[in-house]
Amino acid sequence: MDRQKGEIIRTLRANIEFTGVENRVIAITSAHPNDGKSTTSFYLAGSFADAGKKTLYIDADLRKSVFVGEYRIKRAEYGLSHLLSGQREFDEVVYDTNIHNLSIIVAGTFPTNPSELVGNARFADMIAKARQEFDYVIIDTPPIGSVIDAAVIAKQCDGSIFLIASDTVSRSEAKGMVQQLRAANENILGAVLTKANVGRGKYYYSKYSHYYTYSGYGAYSAYGAKQNEKVGQR
């Protein structure tokens, strides 16, 4: 990650911290696939870890996760779907990484009933356990413009962040997605505008949300390379 992108992620992290210490479990969703949601989520989790916060990144996209393939993770045998279906316990699906303070839960095997799984009691129990062990929990969810999962997950979180890629969604479409997300959890911490062609270090503020712009990250990141060296079950 280059300096500009690192500054943007640190700014995003700092603004989340200033929303209050009660906002520790955060769902991140996007309007559409390929908006940069998974990369932003993972970098944000890494930024919290770099700041000394014990952080858990959860890949909750049980439909079309790209996380394991994108970061070339090979040693994470079990994931979220195994936990939510009752096949594994919490400690069996949490993996340490070579990033100090950062642990992960990968998606696992794709189920046939993802909405039901993320809406069951085991998901709420997982969040309760994660709160006890971690300072921050960053949850990467499917695009809310495609499926309902993000809204279901947001109910269990302290707040949510909405990503929109530049020039890919109309104002009315984005407003409808935000309303859907707010119906599940009123605490929308802000929005992130991705893939925008702007000058170095430039970001915008609106009345209700903070908009951070960046041109997009490469698929294989510094965080991914570190994690590739050690993914060990706890």
Side-chain angles (χ1 to χ4, degrees):
M1 178 165 44
D2 64 30
R3 183 176 179 182
Q4 179 187 2
K5 295 168 185 174
E7 289 175 354
I8 293 169
I9 289 294
R10 284 190 292 272
T11 301
L12 177 58
R13 183 200 77 212
N15 277 277
I16 292 171
E17 291 175 322
F18 277 102
T19 64
V21 294
E22 66 276 6
N23 293 321
R24 298 172 47 225
V25 179
I26 301 166
I28 299 182
T29 189
S30 62
H32 300 299
N34 304 315
D35 282 353
K37 169 183 58 64
S38 295
T39 304
T40 301
S41 301
F42 189 50
Y43 276 135
L44 179 61
S47 183
F48 276 115
D50 286 343
K53 306 297 183 180
K54 192 175 180 182
T55 306
L56 176 64
Y57 169 87
I58 301 176
D59 181 1
D61 190 343
L62 300 183
R63 297 176 183 268
K64 195 179 179 181
S65 171
V66 299
F67 180 76
V68 171
E70 189 167 297
Y71 293 100
R72 305 179 188 178
I73 297 172
K74 299 179 180 179
R75 301 179 186 175
E77 185 176 0
Y78 304 112
L80 182 62
S81 61
H82 297 94
L83 172 64
L84 299 183
S85 60
Q87 299 178 55
R88 297 295 172 201
E89 299 298 324
F90 181 74
D91 290 341
E92 295 180 281
V93 301
V94 177
Y95 292 85
D96 292 328
T97 74
N98 267 7
I99 304 172
H100 184 57
N101 291 322
L102 180 62
S103 299
I104 62 171
I105 296 178
V106 299
T109 303
F110 294 156
T112 58
N113 57 338
S115 295
E116 289 80 3
L117 284 184
V118 297
N120 71 23
R122 292 191 184 93
F123 190 92
D125 291 342
M126 175 192 69
I127 296 299
K129 292 177 182 177
R131 287 183 186 277
Q132 294 175 355
E133 293 193 25
F134 296 92
D135 299 315
Y136 283 91
V137 180
I138 306 299
I139 306 177
D140 179 9
T141 76
I144 197 166
S146 303
V147 292
I148 194 65
D149 302 23
V152 175
I153 292 170
K155 291 181 180 180
Q156 302 294 336
C157 299
D158 299 325
S160 59
I161 295 174
F162 182 47
L163 269 71
I164 306 174
S166 178
D167 298 325
T168 62
V169 61
S170 69
R171 182 184 296 270
S172 61
E173 288 175 323
K175 184 177 180 180
M177 294 176 195
V178 169
Q179 288 174 342
Q180 183 181 2
L181 193 58
R182 182 169 285 127
N185 186 332
E186 291 187 358
N187 191 24
I188 299 179
L189 301 179
V192 178
L193 177 66
T194 66
K195 301 181 180 179
N197 184 18
V198 298
R200 178 177 178 82
K202 189 176 182 180
Y203 51 91
Y204 302 91
Y205 292 93
S206 76
K207 181 177 180 181
Y208 299 107
S209 303
H210 305 295
Y211 290 82
Y212 304 90
T213 63
Y214 61 86
S215 60
Y217 299 147
Y220 190 67
S221 70
Y223 284 133
K226 288 182 181 179
Q227 189 179 45
N228 203 24
E229 296 167 4
K230 177 187 176 184
V231 177
Q233 190 174 344
R234 297 169 52 185

